[in-house]
Amino acid sequence: MSDPLTYFITWTVYGSRLQGDARGWRKNGVHRLPEPYLEAWHKQRLKHPIIKLKREMRSIVENEFHRLANHYDWKIWECAARSNHCHIAVTANGLAGDVVRDRFKANATRVLREHFPVFRNRDVWTAKGDWECVNTEEELELVCQYIRECQDLMHLPKF
């Protein structure tokens, strides 16, 4: 099987999108309906307070995305670190989407901990995250537009 044109990778800040979330949530790649009791149960079990990313934090994370992509000779089509989540559209031939996602997350964690002591000795991100294969130029344009402009949409339009 050949590599996809790119990966669309998303993950959230620790505690900011729990299972059962009223905005909807995903489990095993399937969109789920809100479950308020499940969300409350998970919220009560958080080990750390939720820390949303401020502008300076987001800038450091995005700079690290570009540094890492340059190091590995990956192509970032679009990326955005938001207050409660990150998106990246990246071409990284020869690697699975979860491997690419985990490298970005690990390096973003490192730079946040280096610059902001509040992130030391605690989780920064939710476990795992999503990644989807993008296989056509049309799909890539939709993904890039979503990352740039459509943060208020509940879900990416299906391609």
Side-chain angles (χ1 to χ4, degrees):
M1 185 165 155
S2 64
D3 290 321
L5 175 62
T6 193
Y7 292 115
F8 175 42
I9 299 172
T10 303
W11 70 86
T12 58
V13 166
Y14 172 82
S16 66
R17 190 87 174 219
L18 302 171
Q19 289 183 348
D21 191 289
R23 297 165 291 181
W25 55 289
R26 289 172 62 129
K27 181 176 181 181
N28 299 327
V30 177
H31 291 280
R32 306 288 179 153
L33 295 174
E35 295 183 38
Y37 293 112
L38 180 62
E39 181 182 19
W41 185 85
H42 281 288
K43 188 171 251 179
Q44 291 172 354
R45 282 152 184 78
L46 290 176
K47 296 177 184 173
H48 310 286
I50 298 167
I51 300 175
K52 292 190 174 181
L53 303 180
K54 295 180 171 84
R55 183 181 315 263
E56 183 182 4
M57 296 170 180
R58 296 191 306 264
S59 178
I60 286 170
V61 167
E62 288 179 4
N63 288 338
E64 182 58 19
F65 292 164
H66 289 286
R67 188 206 65 77
L68 189 66
N70 186 55
H71 174 77
Y72 285 114
D73 198 27
W74 296 343
K75 164 84 170 143
I76 291 181
W77 297 93
E78 199 71 52
C79 70
R82 304 292 183 184
S83 63
N84 65 348
H85 65 285
C86 295
H87 288 306
I88 306 170
V90 60
T91 299
N93 293 326
L95 294 172
D98 59 338
V99 172
V100 178
R101 177 200 63 211
D102 293 348
R103 287 185 186 178
F104 277 119
K105 284 179 69 177
N107 281 275
T109 299
R110 178 184 49 75
V111 296
L112 284 171
R113 287 179 175 161
E114 286 173 356
H115 289 89
F116 302 97
V118 69
F119 288 111
R120 294 183 188 144
N121 302 313
R122 58 158 291 142
D123 294 321
V124 176
W125 313 110
T126 306
K128 298 186 181 180
D130 286 336
W131 62 273
E132 297 180 42
C133 294
V134 177
N135 293 305
T136 68
E137 299 278 335
E138 293 79 20
E139 292 173 358
L140 177 58
E141 182 53 40
L142 281 173
V143 165
C144 289
Q145 182 180 8
Y146 178 79
I147 292 172
R148 282 190 312 271
E149 302 169 9
C150 300
Q151 292 303 298
D152 294 332
L153 294 179
M154 184 68 121
H155 302 291
L156 176 69
K158 277 305 185 200
F159 40 83

